[in-house]
């Protein structure tokens, strides 16, 4: 089985869009690949984080992933800051990366232009990400399209290092899922549903109160027609609800259109709301059990041991190749 690795930042609660767009995908991958999933807590501090909520967020994130169906027997799950080799490796790689490469990254340009001043970490962040990836000889890195450039940088760094010091790193490839459906904001179905949106009515978080979720779906923006038909361009609101319904039931768009032929939007929305609420209730029940058990600590201790072992070997190898040995 080929190995894959992906990192998730512990910022904010996971949304239904995150579930449909990426977690579902990871659940499929767990039978196909040997998968490493880690909480990228060191990445999250490139912008200031509240120190009192950070550790809760890490636990919450792990608990939610487990509640969604990420199986700890099939995945190695760990916390980035608990494995010192990520930062150690990052320094070796930083000294093999150029300032020009980092300052050209889209995400750096985007995030730095919004602020008067920013930390050096915001610039060097993609090198830490390269270290995360290159430590484990992974074949693929499942990421959203926004992270593709960072994975390409990791490739460039690996190729450069291998050429300069001898074969050390496996050159990874980004795995961008085509099938993951983009879920849109319920109030403004022209933009993505995002946890950082300023209008909470448009966003469903996995731990939202069930009655609120129902209200959000019933209040979703739609068009002035009455036909439940998939048309992303002219009927983005209804199409978005169809996408949500399709993703949670496994039905096809055609099946959904005929299921609701002749029905008004109220009937359709009620059915979507029932489906989403039932789904979230299941996740929340599991989440509440997991969060008060010792499962999280067991899973993370195990992940730390396995990955520290692998990473230390890779780090020592890279370090020696660069000339550090006695
Ligand atoms: N930068 C990513 C998170 C991340 C990651 C990684 C993803 C950190 N290290 C390694 C894949 C592989 C993000 O912000 N989503």
């Amino acid at each position: 089985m080929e190995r894959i690795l992906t990192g998730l930042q512990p910022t904010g609660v996971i949304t239904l869009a995150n579930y449909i767009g990426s977690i579902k995908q990871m659940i499929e991958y767990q039978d196909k690949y040997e998968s490493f999933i880690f909480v990228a807590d060191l990445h999250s501090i490139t912008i200031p984080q509240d120190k009192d909520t950070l550790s809760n967020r890490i636990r919450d994130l792990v608990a939610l992933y487990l509640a969604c169906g990420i199986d700890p027997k099939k995945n190695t799950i760990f916390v980035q800051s608990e494995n010192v080799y990520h930062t150690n490796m990052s320094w070796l790689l930083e000294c093999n990366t150029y300032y020009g490469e980092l300052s050209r990254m889209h995400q750096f340009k985007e995030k730095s232009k919004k602020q008067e001043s920013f930390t050096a970490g915001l610039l060097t962040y993609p090198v830490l990400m390269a270290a995360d990836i290159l430590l484990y000889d992974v074949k693929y890195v499942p990421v959203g399209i926004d992270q593709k450039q960072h994975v390409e940088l990791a490739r460039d760094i690996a190729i450069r290092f291998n050429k300069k010091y001898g074969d050390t790193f496996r050159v990874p490839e980004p795995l961008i899922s085509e099938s993951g459906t983009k879920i849109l904001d319920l109030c403004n179905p022209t933009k993505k549903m995002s946890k950082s949106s300023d209008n909470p009515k448009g966003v469903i978080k996995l731990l939202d109160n069930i009655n609120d979720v129902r209200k959000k779906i019933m209040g979703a923006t739609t068009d002035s027609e009455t036909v439940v038909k998939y048309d992303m361009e002219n009927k983005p609101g209804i199409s978005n609800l169809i996408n949500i319904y399709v993703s949670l039931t496994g039905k096809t768009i055609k099946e959904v259109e005929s299921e609701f032929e002749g029905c008004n939007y109220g009937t359709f929305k009620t059915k979507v709301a029932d489906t989403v609420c039932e789904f979230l209730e299941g996740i929340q029940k599991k989440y509440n059990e997991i969060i008060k058990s010792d499962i999280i600590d067991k899973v993370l201790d195990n992940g730390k041991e396995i990955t520290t072992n692998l990473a230390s070997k890779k780090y020592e190898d890279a370090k020696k190749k660069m000339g550090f040995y006695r």
Side-chain angles (χ1 to χ4, degrees):
M1 250 199 238
E2 292 286 3
R3 185 179 294 157
I4 62 174
L5 166 135
T6 197
L8 317 146
Q9 293 206 29
T11 44
V13 183
I14 299 172
T15 66
L16 186 63
N18 296 139
Y19 175 82
I20 293 174
S22 87
I23 301 177
K24 253 187 87 183
Q25 199 68 234
M26 282 154 59
I27 294 169
E28 280 164 34
Y29 289 154
Q30 66 189 7
D31 294 313
K32 219 166 128 197
Y33 299 109
E34 179 195 7
S35 81
F36 282 19
I37 300 174
F38 70 97
V39 182
D41 55 347
L42 295 172
H43 275 94
S44 72
I45 59 168
T46 52
I47 41 180
Q49 296 294 326
D50 173 25
K51 70 178 173 46
D52 298 322
T53 54
L54 190 58
S55 70
N56 281 337
R57 286 197 159 163
I58 295 168
R59 284 186 77 81
D60 286 353
L61 183 68
V62 175
L64 257 181
Y65 268 77
L66 298 181
C68 285
I70 298 287
D71 183 345
K73 292 200 188 73
K74 296 179 185 165
N75 301 270
T76 300
I77 304 169
F78 68 106
V79 177
Q80 186 185 31
S81 67
E82 293 183 356
N83 182 334
V84 294
Y85 295 102
H86 288 244
T87 37
N88 283 4
M89 183 64 100
S90 184
W91 179 252
L92 300 186
L93 299 182
E94 253 178 62
C95 297
N96 285 285
T97 306
Y98 295 96
Y99 172 77
E101 292 177 295
L102 296 176
S103 63
R104 278 196 296 274
M105 292 286 122
H106 303 311
Q107 201 175 59
F108 171 70
K109 288 201 281 190
E110 250 317 284
K111 291 198 173 171
S112 60
K113 81 169 179 224
K114 287 190 201 143
Q115 282 156 310
E116 209 172 292
S117 77
F118 46 83
T119 66
L122 194 69
L123 177 73
T124 59
Y125 153 121
V127 188
L128 179 59
M129 180 159 162
D132 300 335
I133 298 167
L134 300 182
L135 277 170
Y136 301 106
D137 291 321
V138 305
K139 169 94 174 154
Y140 298 117
V141 185
V143 282
I145 192 85
D146 61 315
Q147 296 293 322
K148 184 165 174 244
Q149 199 187 28
H150 293 158
V151 180
E152 281 161 358
L153 179 73
R155 286 174 62 85
D156 292 344
I157 296 173
I159 292 168
R160 180 181 306 144
F161 193 104
N162 289 345
K163 226 188 236 159
K164 192 162 174 196
Y165 303 106
D167 225 7
T168 312
F169 299 120
R170 183 171 196 186
V171 181
E173 285 170 47
L175 185 61
I176 315 276
S177 120
E178 310 283 329
S179 62
T181 314
K182 277 222 166 32
I183 300 302
L184 306 173
D185 189 286
L186 297 174
C187 295
N188 181 2
T190 52
K191 58 170 208 186
K192 283 199 309 187
M193 181 185 285
S194 153
K195 56 190 166 191
S196 54
S197 159
D198 4 286
N199 185 359
K201 287 191 182 144
V203 181
I204 295 177
K205 296 188 173 169
L206 297 189
L207 296 180
D208 270 351
N209 172 290
I210 296 294
N211 291 327
D212 292 347
V213 171
R214 186 170 287 283
K215 281 190 206 134
K216 288 180 191 183
I217 293 173
M218 297 309 290
T221 303
T222 49
D223 50 78
S224 55
E225 291 183 8
T226 51
V227 198
V228 179
K229 188 173 176 313
Y230 193 83
D231 179 351
M232 219 47 215
E233 206 161 299
N234 300 307
K235 298 161 75 70
I238 285 293
S239 306
N240 189 39
L241 292 175
I242 295 179
N243 275 336
I244 292 174
Y245 189 62
V246 160
S247 303
L248 296 185
T249 58
K251 294 178 183 170
T252 64
I253 292 174
K254 281 239 144 32
E255 284 167 352
V256 176
E257 284 174 343
S258 56
E259 182 179 345
F260 294 98
E261 209 178 320
C263 294
N264 60 23
Y265 285 175
T267 312
F268 174 56
K269 281 179 166 177
T270 305
K271 186 72 196 205
V272 176
D274 288 346
T275 308
V276 173
C277 290
E278 193 184 324
F279 170 73
L280 292 187
E281 269 168 343
I283 287 186
Q284 291 180 7
K285 188 165 168 266
K286 287 194 203 118
Y287 170 86
N288 289 327
E289 283 162 14
I290 293 168
I291 201 80
K292 57 176 194 255
S293 75
D294 60 355
I295 298 174
I296 301 173
D297 288 314
K298 283 201 179 124
V299 167
L300 295 181
D301 285 347
N302 180 49
K304 178 181 171 183
E305 192 186 325
I306 292 174
T307 59
T308 301
N309 234 319
L310 288 169
S312 74
K313 294 198 182 88
K314 190 56 92 181
Y315 172 72
E316 291 301 334
D317 182 27
K319 192 175 148 194
K320 255 195 207 120
K321 287 209 168 95
M322 287 181 74
F324 297 103
Y325 54 83
R326 279 196 291 149

